[in-house]
Amino acid sequence: MRSGQHASGPPADGPMLAGLAEQAPADFGVRVLRMAGIPREVYDVYVRLDTAAGGLFVASGQEAVTGTALDAGELDATAFEELHRGRTGRSALPTARPFPGVVPALRTGRARRLRIDLSPLDPVDQDVLEAVRAIPAGQLRPIGWIAREAGAAPDEVLVGLAHNPATVLIPGHRAVYDDGTPCDLAHPPGAAEALRAAEGVDMRRVAELRRRGAVFLGSDTTRIYCHPTCAHARRITRPHQVPFRTAREAGRAGYRACKSCRPVTV
């Protein structure tokens, strides 16, 4: 090359430097720790998965899911890592592989058998959240029902819902106050509504039944009464629906409680 003539192509190390700008693999940090001999049990990993309410960060250890959070508002990956460290005392690193069972649980809304670590919580909170996990997809249960199932007081149920470390997977969006209004603790605005809609819960129908005095809904053919969103109650055609304000009223009318949704009977 003559003096004063400039090279027209990239420098010899151009491709190498350009490669540094590429995004690292999702599990790059995990690989580094593994190569450094850091024990797997001292840190968690997480993925971001799509849900009806937006992206959901799901962290897990070797044995169980250890926390989730919807990426609403300003909660990005860095903020989730900080939130998780504050909750558990462990770092969470991104990975490409979700914890076994998480994806089908999100797809079906059935996460009852998914392993979720609730050990950092108070025992009462654990009992409350285990009761919430028993609420089937597409159905709602009042605070009184959750309290009975958990052996807790209603105010303890509210505290447990607020402490939910695994939102969506532990379906707090299926809990309602005893007057039927949603109890959307630990959910960002709009998230619980989106989750209920995705599960086919018609909140307008629920509100209409409440206006008709239907805290419970009976069938005059089976003589069974249920929570209005119970799968059996949704099959009762309107001419055969019998609304009840209380379980006592249903019992006096000769109706028995559904064995599936187990309405409060006192």
Side-chain angles (χ1 to χ4, degrees):
M1 183 182 297
R2 294 174 182 165
S3 176
Q5 185 175 357
H6 298 284
S8 59
D13 59 351
M16 181 184 301
L17 294 177
L20 294 177
E22 297 177 1
Q23 186 174 4
D27 57 354
F28 177 76
V30 175
R31 293 180 189 177
V32 171
L33 293 184
R34 188 181 301 131
M35 292 176 64
I38 304 299
R40 175 63 181 83
E41 59 267 21
V42 303
Y43 64 90
D44 291 346
V45 296
Y46 73 91
V47 295
R48 181 189 178 280
L49 301 171
D50 291 330
T51 74
L56 181 73
F57 293 108
V58 182
S60 59
Q62 290 181 293
E63 302 295 332
V65 170
T66 52
T68 71
L70 287 160
D71 66 355
E74 299 180 356
L75 188 74
D76 57 11
T78 300
F80 174 70
E81 292 171 12
E82 294 175 356
L83 173 66
H84 187 75
R85 188 178 299 110
R87 280 178 175 173
T88 67
R90 294 189 303 279
S91 296
L93 300 175
T95 187
R97 182 178 299 177
F99 186 77
V102 166
V103 171
L106 290 175
R107 183 178 66 250
T108 64
R110 294 191 291 270
R112 183 73 189 277
R113 296 185 179 180
L114 184 68
R115 287 174 290 174
I116 299 176
D117 182 14
L118 298 178
S119 62
L121 298 178
D122 179 277
V124 176
D125 289 345
Q126 294 182 38
D127 291 342
V128 166
L129 294 176
E130 288 295 348
V132 173
R133 294 185 73 183
I135 305 173
Q139 300 188 33
L140 306 176
R141 296 290 185 273
I143 297 299
W145 183 93
I146 298 171
R148 181 196 65 184
E149 296 292 303
D155 59 335
E156 291 175 322
V157 171
L158 298 178
V159 172
L161 287 168
H163 289 170
N164 186 355
T167 185
V168 183
L169 292 175
I170 298 179
H173 57 280
R174 298 173 193 161
V176 295
Y177 291 105
D178 288 342
D179 66 358
T181 58
C183 178
D184 294 338
L185 302 174
H187 288 85
E193 291 92 330
L195 292 168
R196 286 190 291 269
E199 293 181 4
V201 179
D202 186 346
M203 294 305 294
R204 287 180 297 181
R205 175 179 177 273
V206 171
E208 177 193 354
L209 290 170
R210 282 281 171 172
R211 287 193 294 270
R212 292 168 51 196
V215 174
F216 300 112
L217 202 61
S219 165
D220 64 6
T221 57
T222 64
R223 310 292 287 183
I224 294 173
Y225 71 98
C226 311
H227 290 286
T229 56
C230 174
H232 299 293
R234 291 200 301 266
R235 290 196 289 265
I236 306 172
T237 58
R238 192 175 182 103
H240 295 284
Q241 293 175 359
V242 181
F244 295 108
R245 294 183 182 275
T246 67
R248 190 181 305 276
E249 179 183 337
R252 288 174 175 171
Y255 285 68
R256 60 184 176 87
C258 172
K259 293 182 178 180
S260 177
C261 71
R262 304 185 310 282
V264 175
T265 56
V266 295

